[in-house]
Amino acid sequence: MMQFMLLFSRQGKLRLQKWYVPLSDKEKKKITRELVQTVLARKPKMCSFLEWRDLKVVYKRYASLYFCCAVENQDNELITLEIIHRYVELLDKYFGSVCELDIIFNFEKAYFILDEFLLGGEAQETSKKNVLKAIEQADLLQENVDFQTRLFAAPT
Amino acid sequence: MPAVSKGDGMRGLAVFISDIRNCKSKEAEIKRINKELANIRSKFKGDKALDGYSKKKYVCKLLFIFLLGHDIDFGHMEAVNLLSSNKYTEKQIGYLFISVLVNSNSDLIRLINNGIKNDLNSRNPTFMNLALHCIANVGSREMAEAFASDIPRILVAGDTMDSVKQSAALCLLRLNRTSPDLVPMGEWTARVVHLLNDQHLGVVTAATSLITTLAQKSPDDFKTSVALSVARLSRIVTSASIDLQDYTYYFVAAPWLSVKLLRLLQCYPPPEDASLRSRLTECLETILNKAQEPPKSKKVQHSNAKNAVLFEAISLIIHHDSEPTLLVRACNQLGQFLQHRETNLRYLALESMCMLASSEFSHEAVKTHMETVINALKTERDVSVRQRAVDLLYAMCDRSNAKQIVAEMLTYLENADYSIREEIVLKVAILAEKYAVDYTWYVDTILNLIRIAGDYVSEEVWYRVIQIVINRDDVQGYAAKTVFEALQAPACHENLVKVGGYILGEFGNLIAGDSRSSPLVQFNLLHSKFHLCSVPTRALLLSAYIKFINLFPEVKITIQDVLRSDSQLRNADVELQQRAVEYLRLSCIASTDILATVLEEMPPFPERESSILAKLKKKKGRGNLPVIDDTRRNVNGNVEHAEKTEAPNQVSTPSFTDLLNLNSAPGPGGNLLVDVFSDNAALSSTDVCEENFSRFVCKNNGVIFENQLLQIGLKSEYRQNLGRMYVFYGNKTSTQFLSFTSSLSVLDSFSPQLNMHVKTVDPVIEGGAQVQQILNMECVSDFTEAPVLKVQFRYGGMLQNLAVKLPVMLNKFFQPTEMTSQDFFQRWKQLGAPEQEVQKIFKAKLPMDTEVTKAKIIGFGVALLDRVDPNPENFVGAGVIHTKSIQVGCLLRLEPNAQAQMYRLTLRTSRESVSRRLCDLLSEQF
């Protein structure tokens, strides 16, 4: 089971954090600081896995963003690496060639997409089509609502 | 009103984020945030009711601020309002805020739960999913209490939408992990298993995770999942790559689901049903075959997904550990990966191979890759990969390759990363001990460890080498010589000084014959390091010095001068000062006999699990440590033992027990809390401690009993049919023992055979003090039962009772008799009647060592007769047992068989009971 996922920039700025285990804010900050430092210190050709505390950390860099997951010891590293990739694909498809700024300015969307894909630290729906369908439906609901709001708001 | 389109939600939020990004300094950012917080607070507090959109926008800003790392202590109420809104977009943000900022404020939890309940009952799949996501994200106990019974119902209901089922399955999984007691099993469990058959692969994917977790906890309830998983897996691995449509990932069919199914199967042993089993084997073979096929895509995603399934399949093969062909195929596949250009694959191959190394079927196959792994250790540029290589070498090590692997690890250690040095040191120490054929190699290896990575050699490691040297007399001389040579180096590590000090203090005499390592040279060498060492090491050296005084009377004056110097006697460190004062005094007032007793060689350490292994387990976590074959248990000791010698405040003037220090853990008889409720506890109810009894058969002095409170040491002497025993009671605590009494139990069966007289002792033993009791005895006739010493005292208000079997045995009343070969065999024949001879054939429990055996036979009390037996390998001895009533002549013969590791012991005496008793006593000693 995945314990948490962190997205951070090359400068060490945290862009997204998702925790699947209950931890105090203090502990979360400590873990984040420690891992960001560890991962950023690694050289490009090094392997994508490392042992960290009693967990395995799987990370991959996409442009300026690092995606970093901690999974349990018996979990499969390679499939975790592809979980990261699938999430990147989902973001990419949704935002249309995603970049770091998309995630900064639309962090709530990034969370919604992640929740459709992973839940409780496990893959919920691995089909790209199905995940995006769910998100698009939600957006559709949102647009309808906003459209109505606008209609009512228009006269004033 | 801002225009809303996909990905462009709230302009106010975007502006705020831009502002933050434009801040040039941390201070500016904090200023901007505080301004925003004040603004939001006033909006929330304002009289004007906020519309949903504004509320959503402000809540989102708060969330953003929180995610930047700042504390947020308001806004929860507004989030709950949003969550209860029936506008999807507001609800979504409300849920997100609650999921990220969980607050266990009970009022709010009730409101949140209320909102969730409404959404779960709404029959609107989108709302239901939001609610389920929130429960899964928060996973708190309150939520488990509220919804644990609803979710299974939603999960198995026939009319539930697929996407809701997926969320419900994982939501239930989360609750089961956080509050398993609140998730009741029930009739839904059987129906959950059948989700493995679901048409929708997304539902199967989510359900498999749930079932795996449940099956780990109660495998019997989910047994039927095995057949269903195998069927599902089989359909996936045999499908054409397009069959599964969107569940095919870079030409690999449903990799996530395959991995999960293989994981689920690892909760169970191999299927018993033959057809199911062969179907599963087929699946695994297919997966292995696919690994050999040319890739369908050059993309790394393709090979990653394919290999993810392959590695999981190998995990299952290792888990089953029953199909030799599959295990060997797996090993060969991993062998190919060892040289792959992808670092990730090399890393994983090393990791998986570690597991294969512990299977008997594949251990040999793994060993064939040793050179590659050693090469990896030398050439890999990534430390985490090298770490895996070290792990694998450790796992594949056995007697056949131990020397090479240990040598390679030592070489690697010289340049190893600091982060893994300690672990390598532990591993080398364990392997060297475990596979030592000759212990000189072991001693060399450990000294090399200290030389190469002294700072990383933990106490456990150097304690261990001392324990082993003390327990094995065949290596003591070599160890003394080697440490002596190692100490010659101008700069040597302090750990070497510790080991050297200890070993020379114990066994320096073994090399003192050589003028190059004469006592004075040894002492000067050690003392030249003294001033560079830390206090604990200096304390150890002082103990070594006093041992030198005993070993080599010729250096006594020199050492006394050193002890007497101001830098010792007036040392600022109280421990050093105390040692100097006490050792100096001891050396001045004690006679050579007393010195020899007090400073006697350390007795062997009790056998225990290696403390180093325990440390490595702790470091790595039990699950991560490959099991290395453990057929041969080694001389094992405990750490506290060595530590104890350095423990302060133990050197009180008659420091008999301290230096002997046979600190073993509290024995079974050392039951400290025996009957704390009753002062009148019947003594006979106390277990009699016999733990150390047999160790005294061939010797007269040592510690017979020890627990956390009390140590009982013995010193005894015998002449003809009379004996005297000095019993030393040492109070190890800092508190007084009160009402101290000790007496001998009088067992009717032996009282006429053995007369004993005990002098009473003082009823108070001060903390840290030691008192002595004298026992006089007279052997009237031959006996079997040993007397039991009963000790009773109060410690901290509690009555302590203990009983110790005293090592008074028949052989103590031996007088050795020298005789010629001719005499011996003449008498041997005279005692040829069947009832006079007792013979035992037994397996050697200890290493067969001629010198040790000789010492033991002499210690047993008989004269060891040289050149009597025509076979020089055999030992013969003769003696007379003296009792008041009769004298019994005894002849013994011990025939070792080194090949079979067996002994044959024959005793001939004029009395059958004597022959039998002596044979029983002596046969336990080898």
Side-chain angles (χ1 to χ4, degrees):
Chain A
M1 182 193 116
M2 192 182 290
Q3 310 275 304
F4 55 86
M5 183 192 259
L6 302 175
L7 268 65
F8 50 88
S9 69
R10 232 162 16 142
Q11 291 75 34
K13 284 251 185 210
L14 191 60
R15 295 304 182 201
L16 193 90
Q17 45 178 319
K18 185 76 187 178
W19 305 85
Y20 295 107
V21 282
L23 290 169
S24 69
D25 286 344
K26 205 174 147 205
E27 182 71 4
K28 287 177 186 171
K29 280 183 185 162
K30 188 166 166 251
I31 291 175
T32 308
R33 215 173 26 243
E34 210 179 308
L35 262 185
V36 167
Q37 222 171 27
T38 313
V39 170
L40 287 180
R42 290 175 63 87
K43 297 190 185 75
K45 284 281 172 188
M46 286 187 164
C47 86
S48 314
F49 320 123
L50 50 113
E51 278 188 337
W52 180 80
R53 299 199 187 171
D54 54 348
L55 299 173
K56 293 188 207 171
V57 167
V58 177
Y59 72 92
K60 188 161 179 177
R61 185 179 150 183
Y62 288 86
S64 61
L65 261 194
Y66 282 87
F67 289 68
C68 175
C69 300
V71 295
E72 287 170 309
N73 238 306
Q74 61 278 27
D75 285 330
N76 190 310
E77 291 98 333
L78 285 174
I79 209 74
T80 310
L81 206 50
E82 293 319 297
I83 282 197
I84 292 176
H85 187 75
R86 172 108 301 177
Y87 183 47
V88 172
E89 284 183 351
L90 288 166
L91 293 171
D92 206 50
K93 190 94 183 167
Y94 182 80
F95 289 110
S97 187
V98 68
C99 68
E100 195 182 335
L101 282 179
D102 291 322
I103 296 172
I104 297 173
F105 281 96
N106 303 284
F107 66 95
E108 79 284 9
K109 295 284 179 203
Y111 275 108
F112 298 147
I113 296 172
L114 190 57
D115 272 353
E116 290 294 335
F117 175 41
L118 296 180
L119 193 60
E122 300 280 356
Q124 174 179 216
E125 177 54 86
T126 61
S127 150
K128 193 154 65 175
K129 218 186 280 172
N130 289 352
V131 173
L132 289 172
K133 208 164 67 193
I135 296 290
E136 271 155 19
Q137 268 173 4
D139 278 338
L140 214 64
L141 278 174
Q142 185 165 330
E143 276 176 26
N144 287 341
V145 172
D146 287 327
F147 179 65
Q148 284 171 7
T149 323
R150 239 181 310 171
L151 275 185
F152 287 118
T156 50
Chain B
M1 270 304 132
V4 176
S5 70
K6 186 164 91 175
D8 180 17
M10 295 154 271
R11 183 174 292 162
L13 176 65
V15 169
F16 174 60
I17 295 175
S18 296
D19 282 0
I20 294 290
R21 283 177 54 76
N22 290 331
C23 286
K24 294 278 183 286
S25 66
K26 194 80 196 163
E27 289 72 32
E29 184 185 306
I30 291 172
K31 209 172 146 202
R32 178 68 185 87
I33 285 169
N34 286 338
K35 187 181 152 206
E36 194 63 40
L37 286 175
N39 173 40
I40 299 172
R41 212 177 253 125
S42 74
K43 293 280 185 205
F44 283 170
K45 277 196 185 140
D47 311 325
K48 222 176 98 199
L50 287 174
D51 59 17
Y53 169 77
S54 309
K55 223 182 264 176
K56 183 180 90 172
K57 182 179 69 185
Y58 292 132
V59 165
C60 243
K61 283 183 181 175
L62 286 179
L63 195 53
F64 182 79
I65 294 169
F66 176 78
L67 291 169
L68 277 180
H70 301 271
D71 291 332
I72 294 296
D73 53 6
F74 68 104
H76 300 82
M77 200 57 214
E78 285 71 18
V80 174
N81 284 340
L82 286 175
L83 175 156
S84 316
S85 156
N86 48 20
K87 288 180 188 154
Y88 180 78
T89 156
E90 291 168 16
K91 190 182 277 301
Q92 203 183 17
I93 297 293
Y95 271 121
L96 180 61
F97 185 90
I98 295 299
S99 301
V100 175
L101 275 113
V102 200
N103 191 307
S104 54
N105 182 318
S106 60
D107 292 343
L108 273 181
I109 282 288
R110 232 188 30 242
L111 288 171
I112 296 168
N113 281 357
N114 219 9
I116 292 177
K117 197 160 211 98
N118 288 337
D119 285 335
L120 283 184
N121 294 331
S122 69
R123 309 188 65 81
N124 174 338
T126 326
F127 286 9
M128 286 172 89
N129 271 343
L130 279 183
L132 289 167
H133 291 178
C134 180
I135 301 172
N137 282 327
V138 176
S140 69
R141 242 193 121 68
E142 291 86 353
M143 286 193 180
E145 275 163 4
F147 304 112
S149 52
D150 293 339
I151 298 168
R153 196 176 36 76
I154 296 173
L155 176 59
V156 297
D159 57 349
T160 305
M161 296 264 298
D162 288 333
S163 67
V164 177
K165 273 189 195 168
Q166 285 166 272
S167 301
L170 293 175
C171 185
L172 196 55
L173 167 60
R174 173 72 195 261
L175 294 185
N176 184 277
R177 281 202 176 118
T178 46
S179 325
D181 52 313
L182 296 177
V183 182
M185 296 290 174
E187 47 104 26
W188 61 275
T189 43
R191 298 177 61 185
V192 162
V193 175
H194 282 278
L195 290 178
L196 288 171
N197 269 338
D198 203 281
Q199 292 289 316
H200 191 285
L201 278 188
V203 173
V204 186
T205 306
T208 310
S209 293
L210 173 64
I211 295 165
T212 305
T213 305
L214 296 173
Q216 277 162 353
K217 288 180 179 157
S218 41
D220 286 346
D221 293 338
F222 294 88
K223 257 197 303 221
T224 47
S225 65
V226 175
L228 294 175
S229 311
V230 172
R232 191 94 227 189
L233 184 66
S234 170
R235 267 179 282 158
I236 295 172
V237 297
T238 54
S239 67
S241 53
I242 44 155
D243 287 358
L244 303 176
Q245 295 168 352
D246 209 35
Y247 288 91
T248 298
Y249 179 81
Y250 291 89
F251 304 100
V252 182
W256 284 280
L257 179 55
S258 305
V259 166
K260 284 185 182 195
L261 289 168
L262 289 161
R263 263 299 282 291
L264 172 55
L265 288 168
Q266 287 171 62
C267 302
Y268 292 93
E272 278 163 25
D273 176 77
S275 68
L276 188 61
R277 194 171 170 149
S278 75
R279 197 162 176 203
L280 177 57
T281 307
E282 260 170 47
C283 285
L284 296 170
E285 276 170 347
T286 313
I287 294 170
L288 285 167
N289 291 341
K290 281 188 178 169
Q292 296 296 330
E293 288 170 9
K296 293 198 175 73
S297 154
K298 284 208 175 90
K299 288 257 165 70
V300 69
Q301 283 75 28
H302 170 70
S303 75
N304 278 351
K306 190 163 120 178
N307 291 327
V309 178
L310 174 66
F311 275 106
E312 205 60 52
I314 291 176
S315 290
L316 180 63
I317 292 169
I318 296 170
H319 169 79
H320 283 171
D321 196 12
S322 60
E323 298 273 355
T325 22
L326 286 179
L327 281 160
V328 171
R329 277 196 69 184
C331 186
N332 294 339
Q333 182 60 54
L334 294 177
Q336 287 181 19
F337 285 156
L338 284 182
Q339 319 223 34
H340 202 280
R341 59 184 173 82
E342 275 270 332
T343 315
N344 287 346
L345 282 181
R346 294 197 304 274
Y347 176 96
L348 294 175
L350 289 166
E351 187 183 61
S352 278
M353 237 185 211
C354 249
M355 306 301 297
L356 277 174
S358 49
S359 162
E360 53 170 325
F361 299 117
S362 47
H363 182 79
E364 287 304 314
V366 171
K367 274 168 67 185
T368 59
H369 299 287
M370 185 169 77
E371 293 303 329
T372 319
V373 181
I374 288 172
N375 202 35
L377 197 59
K378 290 175 178 161
T379 56
E380 282 291 349
R381 279 154 60 197
D382 184 344
V383 53
S384 29
V385 185
R386 291 197 296 270
Q387 169 79 59
R388 289 283 86 85
V390 171
D391 288 350
L392 179 53
L393 284 179
Y394 178 76
M396 70 164 71
C397 190
D398 62 19
R399 200 165 299 268
S400 72
N401 54 21
K403 282 206 174 170
Q404 190 184 355
I405 285 180
V406 165
E408 292 294 347
M409 283 191 175
L410 277 174
T411 316
Y412 174 57
L413 186 58
E414 306 216 29
N415 303 309
D417 316 78
Y418 296 109
S419 55
I420 60 172
R421 281 195 181 187
E422 190 186 357
E423 199 182 313
I424 298 176
V425 167
L426 291 175
K427 287 187 163 153
V428 168
I430 290 168
L431 293 178
E433 178 185 336
K434 194 171 181 63
Y435 299 117
V437 182
D438 66 302
Y439 278 83
T440 56
W441 173 70
Y442 169 76
V443 170
D444 287 342
T445 305
I446 300 294
L447 291 183
N448 260 331
L449 269 186
I450 296 177
R451 186 178 56 76
I452 296 169
D455 285 342
Y456 298 88
V457 172
S458 56
E459 288 184 331
E460 284 85 350
V461 174
W462 73 262
Y463 288 168
R464 193 80 187 134
V465 68
I466 285 171
Q467 288 167 6
I468 287 175
V469 169
I470 286 183
N471 285 16
R472 302 199 53 100
D473 35 22
D474 53 339
V475 77
Q476 287 160 358
Y478 181 80
K481 181 167 157 286
T482 318
V483 292
F484 176 78
E485 280 164 5
L487 281 169
Q488 309 277 347
C492 52
H493 195 272
E494 189 162 335
N495 278 336
L496 178 67
V497 179
K498 290 178 183 164
V499 175
Y502 203 109
I503 288 182
L504 291 180
E506 293 292 328
F507 309 113
N509 55 327
L510 300 177
I511 55 167
D514 190 324
S515 63
R516 285 165 300 176
S517 52
S518 71
L520 192 62
V521 175
Q522 286 185 39
F523 170 73
N524 285 336
L525 180 62
L526 280 180
H527 198 54
S528 68
K529 315 283 180 196
F530 188 89
H531 304 281
L532 300 169
C533 291
S534 63
V535 168
T537 309
R538 289 191 197 187
L540 185 148
L541 285 177
L542 288 180
S543 295
Y545 296 169
I546 185 73
K547 290 228 160 189
F548 267 32
I549 290 186
N550 174 46
L551 291 178
F552 315 118
E554 63 265 42
V555 294
K556 183 170 171 177
I557 305 291
T558 319
I559 292 177
Q560 280 176 335
D561 284 346
V562 167
L563 292 176
R564 204 176 281 125
S565 72
D566 277 356
S567 61
Q568 307 298 351
L569 280 190
R570 298 193 179 164
N571 196 297
D573 185 273
V574 67
E575 172 66 23
L576 292 181
Q577 191 187 76
Q578 187 175 2
R579 284 195 189 210
V581 170
E582 288 175 352
Y583 290 158
L584 179 61
R585 196 77 196 120
L586 181 68
S587 71
C588 294
I589 57 167
S591 69
T592 18
D593 278 358
I594 293 179
L595 268 187
T597 314
V598 172
L599 302 169
E600 196 186 23
E601 197 178 290
M602 291 291 285
F605 287 75
E607 301 222 351
R608 286 274 177 81
E609 184 190 32
S610 161
S611 48
I612 312 179
L613 200 58
K615 179 163 173 133
L616 185 64
K617 278 181 189 159
K618 207 167 108 196
K619 209 173 151 58
K620 289 288 277 181
R622 209 159 258 278
N624 287 348
L625 192 67
V627 189
I628 48 180
D629 114 282
D630 205 355
T631 44
R632 192 175 56 99
R633 263 291 170 92
N634 245 309
V635 271
N636 287 321
N638 58 338
V639 195
E640 307 87 74
H641 194 152
E643 221 163 28
K644 257 295 163 345
T645 315
E646 310 312 317
N649 304 329
Q650 294 250 328
V651 194
S652 44
T653 337
S655 56
F656 171 74
T657 46
D658 172 51
L659 285 168
L660 262 172
N661 207 327
L662 267 162
N663 176 18
S664 55
N671 210 335
L672 279 177
L673 298 175
V674 176
D675 209 342
V676 291
F677 301 110
S678 156
D679 278 4
N680 305 324
L683 277 180
S684 55
S685 68
T686 314
D687 289 334
V688 177
C689 170
E690 298 184 22
E691 198 183 21
N692 294 327
F693 181 83
S694 67
R695 299 229 307 257
F696 283 79
V697 169
C698 297
K699 67 172 189 171
N700 289 334
N701 305 330
V703 171
I704 183 77
F705 173 84
E706 176 151 13
N707 63 19
Q708 292 99 318
L709 305 179
L710 176 72
Q711 185 186 51
I712 305 180
L714 298 179
K715 194 181 166 192
S716 33
E717 51 199 34
Y718 296 89
R719 203 159 47 86
Q720 307 226 320
N721 67 324
L722 299 177
R724 174 176 289 169
M725 185 178 272
Y726 302 87
V727 185
F728 298 87
Y729 302 96
N731 181 345
K732 292 170 66 180
T733 71
S734 50
T735 317
Q736 284 182 335
F737 292 165
L738 298 173
S739 321
F740 188 93
T741 59
S742 65
S743 57
L744 287 171
S745 75
V746 186
L747 290 178
D748 286 346
S749 58
F750 76 74
S751 54
Q753 295 145 2
L754 189 67
N755 282 329
M756 302 199 68
H757 178 255
V758 194
K759 294 196 174 151
T760 51
V761 285
D762 197 41
V764 178
I765 304 181
E766 297 294 334
Q770 193 179 58
V771 300
Q772 173 186 322
Q773 184 176 34
I774 299 176
L775 253 90
N776 288 317
M777 51 210 148
E778 180 190 36
C779 179
V780 180
S781 67
D782 78 88
F783 65 98
T784 310
E785 286 286 328
V788 173
L789 181 71
K790 295 198 163 165
V791 179
Q792 200 178 36
F793 60 93
R794 283 185 170 281
Y795 167 73
M798 281 208 253
L799 190 68
Q800 310 286 340
N801 268 323
L802 45 100
V804 179
K805 198 164 166 185
L806 279 184
V808 180
M809 308 95 165
L810 188 56
N811 67 298
K812 299 294 178 195
F813 301 94
F814 250 130
Q815 288 289 307
T817 321
E818 293 290 341
M819 56 178 77
T820 63
S821 176
Q822 196 185 357
D823 286 347
F824 182 87
F825 283 106
Q826 194 182 351
R827 294 195 195 182
W828 185 260
K829 278 181 202 136
Q830 282 166 3
L831 294 169
E835 68 275 9
Q836 290 169 329
E837 182 189 279
V838 174
Q839 191 171 72
K840 234 186 202 177
I841 296 170
F842 53 93
K843 193 126 187 93
K845 284 180 295 197
L846 303 170
M848 295 176 105
D849 183 302
T850 312
E851 291 311 309
V852 176
T853 308
K854 278 183 183 166
K856 282 190 173 158
I857 291 175
I858 294 169
F860 192 62
V862 296
L864 184 70
L865 305 177
D866 244 2
R867 288 189 288 273
V868 166
D869 200 299
N871 180 350
E873 300 295 314
N874 294 346
F875 305 92
V876 296
V880 177
I881 298 274
H882 287 259
T883 73
K884 195 177 173 189
S885 50
I886 50 160
Q887 295 190 358
V888 186
C890 309
L891 303 174
L892 71 84
R893 187 184 200 191
L894 179 71
E895 297 157 275
N897 179 343
Q899 251 167 0
Q901 290 285 301
M902 301 283 285
Y903 287 105
R904 179 163 69 186
L905 174 66
T906 317
L907 255 299
R908 286 190 181 184
T909 77
S910 50
R911 281 174 85 106
E912 192 193 357
S913 58
V914 174
S915 301
R916 183 158 306 286
R917 179 63 183 151
L918 291 177
C919 187
D920 287 346
L921 284 170
L922 189 59
S923 60
E924 290 301 306
Q925 298 298 312
F926 300 102

